[in-house]
Structures are given as structure tokens and as C-alpha cells.
Amino acid sequence: MSIMEMSHRGKEFDAVIKKAESDLRRLLAIPDDDYAVLFLQGGATTQFAAVPLNLCAPGDAVDYVVTGSWGDKAFKEAQKFCKANLIWSGKSDKYTKIPSFEGLEQNPNAKYLHICANETIHGVEFKNYPTPSNKDAVLVADMSSNFCSKPVDVSKFGVIYAGAQKNVGPSGVTIVIVRKDLIGNAQPITPVMLDYKIHADSASLYNTPPCFAIYICGLVFEDLLEQGGLVEVEKNNTKKAGILYDAIDGSDGFYVCPVEKSVRSLMNVPFTLQKSDLEKKFIEEAAKEGMVQLKGHRSVGGVRASIYNAMPLAGVGKLVAFMKDFQARHP
């Protein structure tokens, strides 16, 4: 019998979801007593609403740092449920930077400070994390696209949420790691499916969860542990990204990555060709060599190589070899 056929109330699936949670706690060193781990649905986009609904009242202030398209979407959604303040935006610089944390003008009464840890479209990634100026506030992070790509000190955050589909499983399951003292204060208008307390009290089984997606996540967690944990995973990701960025930076301007070097993503590497009329040809020829989905996001164009955990070193090597060959053929 497949996981897809089983009752989510049965002992077989109960063992699957408990093992997945246990292995995730080992990977990220999540304290059992202080944090709940929830396996939810609706993608990170649903959490854009769930976070303010669970963490504050309609009149409360919250702060958002927007370093790309996903952070912007989260900010706009939060405005519906509380007094969301945009304290920094990288839009004027085309989302190629992350601000100095010391220069952030935070609201001293903000309930939380929200960031998107890695912006897939623009290739900007936080290498360390800001601290809310309000001692009673918490840091909230959308980690959808770099979740389990490196170690993270969970204790620095009130909430971490992540769509699983980049690094740990198929789309359909969203993982929320939430500090337990933040649970139980949802706004009265909060739909039952967005209330963290409902899901925490039900051990993520309030309704039928995405069983098969959770099962796959569990297998991935096992594999990441076998690889030596997230310290080893990060080493591999750093090596892959380094090879690709070195190829871009060493191309004498033929390829250009617009992102400030100190905050370049290990997961998503956007770049353009100096001769923009060659970009379509580059993408088409790469596809013929078996390298697909290299077209940049429709909002920014160019080229984007996504090199998540599952992309092997050999895949990055093949792309770099193709890039050098393409450049040699188009002097």
C-alpha cells in the first residue's frame, strides 16, 4: 500500500510524520521544548497572511525588510491584517543588495521584523540576520528557497516558514517552525486553517495533510543526515556556487551578475550576457545540451541558474563548460 492510500490517522503514517519531524529537529537543532514544527499546506504565500494573523492584533505595528519580489508580496499581504511598515526596500537598486542592519530604522513597538532569507528571482541571500530593536519582538523569516541548504540558529527566530519544493520535497507541504510562546494569540478573524494553535494541538493532523509530500520530505531529511548534516550540505553548496560565480566574474564582462558579491545567493545565480541579443540563443543551445529552465524570471529577464541541494557538482561543471564554449564561439 502506498502512503497515498493510507489513512493519515493510521499508525503507519503517524510513524512517517513523527520520524520526519524528529529528523528535521536533528538537522536544524530545533529545541523540543521551545518550538513547534508544523507541516501545513498553501505554500509560503499562505504564510504571508498567517504570520500577522497569529503574531499581532490589527492595530499592531510590524516591520518588513524587502530585498526582492517575495519579500514585497509578504509585506503587501501583511498590510491587510496589521500596521505593516516598509523599513527598507532594495527596489531602487533592482534588488541587488541587503541593507546594513545598523542603519535600519525599526519601529520600537514593532511586534516582529520580517525578512525573506533568499530571493529566488534576484539572487540575494542573507548571510547573517538582523535583530529586532524591540526586545519583545521576534524575527520572522521566509526560508522557502534556502531551507536546509545550510545550518541556521533557530533560536534567533520567532517563526521560520518554508515551502518545501526547493530543497526538501515536492510542492504541497509548507513547514513552519514557530516558538511555542507565540502560539494561541491569533486574531479572531483568523481562519481555522491558518491558526497555528489548531495545527500545533493536532500535531499537523487537524485535516488530511499532504501525506505523500511529507513522506518525501522525510526521505530527504534522512539523506541530508547521512551526508553529514547541514554543515556538509553547505560546503557542497558553497563549492557549486563558487565555481559558477568564478566563471561569470572571470569572463571579462561577457557574463555579468548584478548582485553585490557579499550577498550573492548560493541557490539562485542570475546573470546577463553583455550582448543581450545572445541570451535567447544561449538558453536555446543550453537546452539542446540537456540544461533546461535557465531563462530568467519574466520580471527581470536574463539567465538564472538555480542550483538547489539536489543539483550535483557535475551539473554545475557542465553549465560552466558550456558557458566557456559559448563565449569562445561568440567573441
Side-chain angles (χ1 to χ4, degrees), residues 207-226:
N207 72 327
T208 307
C211 297
F212 193 75
I214 293 169
Y215 166 66
I216 297 295
C217 286
L219 297 181
V220 172
F221 297 151
E222 285 182 8
D223 181 65
L224 295 176
L225 287 167
E226 288 172 7

Side-chain angles (χ1 to χ4, degrees), residues 68-304:
S69 295
W70 296 108
D72 185 55
K73 289 176 187 290
F75 165 65
K76 287 174 178 172
E77 186 74 352
Q79 288 179 301
K80 301 174 184 177
F81 307 109
C82 59
K83 292 183 177 178
N85 304 304
L86 178 60
I87 63 170
W88 189 90
S89 171
K91 189 173 184 179
S92 61
D93 291 311
K94 298 183 177 178
Y95 297 126
T96 55
K97 299 177 180 178
I98 283 175
S100 161
F101 301 149
E102 292 74 26
L104 291 176
E105 292 189 23
Q106 299 183 47
N107 187 316
N109 300 312
K111 286 283 188 175
Y112 65 80
L113 173 62
H114 182 284
I115 62 169
C116 178
N118 182 75
E119 288 282 357
T120 56
I121 294 173
H122 300 92
V124 178
E125 182 175 16
F126 281 80
K127 304 301 180 182
N128 47 45
Y129 305 103
T131 301
S133 59
N134 177 4
K135 64 179 178 60
D136 296 321
V138 295
L139 182 62
V140 176
D142 173 0
M143 290 193 181
S144 295
S145 52
N146 65 352
F147 189 66
C148 285
S149 69
K150 60 183 180 181
V152 171
D153 183 354
V154 173
S155 69
K156 291 183 180 295
F157 299 85
V159 179
I160 293 171
Y161 62 93
Q165 63 274 11
K166 307 300 183 185
N167 278 323
V168 298
S171 61
V173 60
T174 305
I175 296 166
V176 176
I177 302 167
V178 54
R179 214 172 69 195
K180 289 181 178 179
D181 64 323
L182 300 173
I183 296 172
N185 302 302
Q187 294 184 26
I189 65 164
T190 305
V192 66
M193 287 302 294
L194 300 191
D195 190 332
Y196 292 157
K197 188 176 192 309
I198 295 288
H199 295 292
D201 289 349
S202 306
S204 300
L205 299 173
Y206 176 74
N207 72 327
T208 307
C211 297
F212 193 75
I214 293 169
Y215 166 66
I216 297 295
C217 286
L219 297 181
V220 172
F221 297 151
E222 285 182 8
D223 181 65
L224 295 176
L225 287 167
E226 288 172 7
Q227 289 181 42
L230 298 185
V231 171
E232 292 302 314
V233 171
E234 182 182 29
K235 286 179 185 175
N236 191 43
N237 286 329
T238 301
K239 186 175 182 180
K240 289 187 301 183
I243 291 169
L244 186 46
Y245 284 121
D246 285 348
I248 294 168
D249 295 339
S251 68
D252 294 323
F254 188 85
Y255 303 106
V256 178
C257 175
V259 181
E260 198 175 85
K261 286 187 178 182
S262 63
V263 294
R264 285 178 172 178
S265 172
L266 298 185
M267 300 285 97
N268 311 98
V269 182
F271 60 94
T272 57
L273 275 67
Q274 189 178 47
K275 300 173 183 176
S276 57
D277 56 316
L278 286 176
E279 286 177 0
K280 184 179 179 185
K281 188 175 184 183
F282 177 94
I283 292 164
E284 289 174 349
E285 289 192 12
K288 290 177 182 175
E289 296 294 322
M291 291 173 283
V292 297
Q293 298 185 356
L294 282 168
K295 188 175 182 180
H297 191 271
R298 61 186 180 275
S299 64
V300 294
V303 182
R304 176 180 56 167

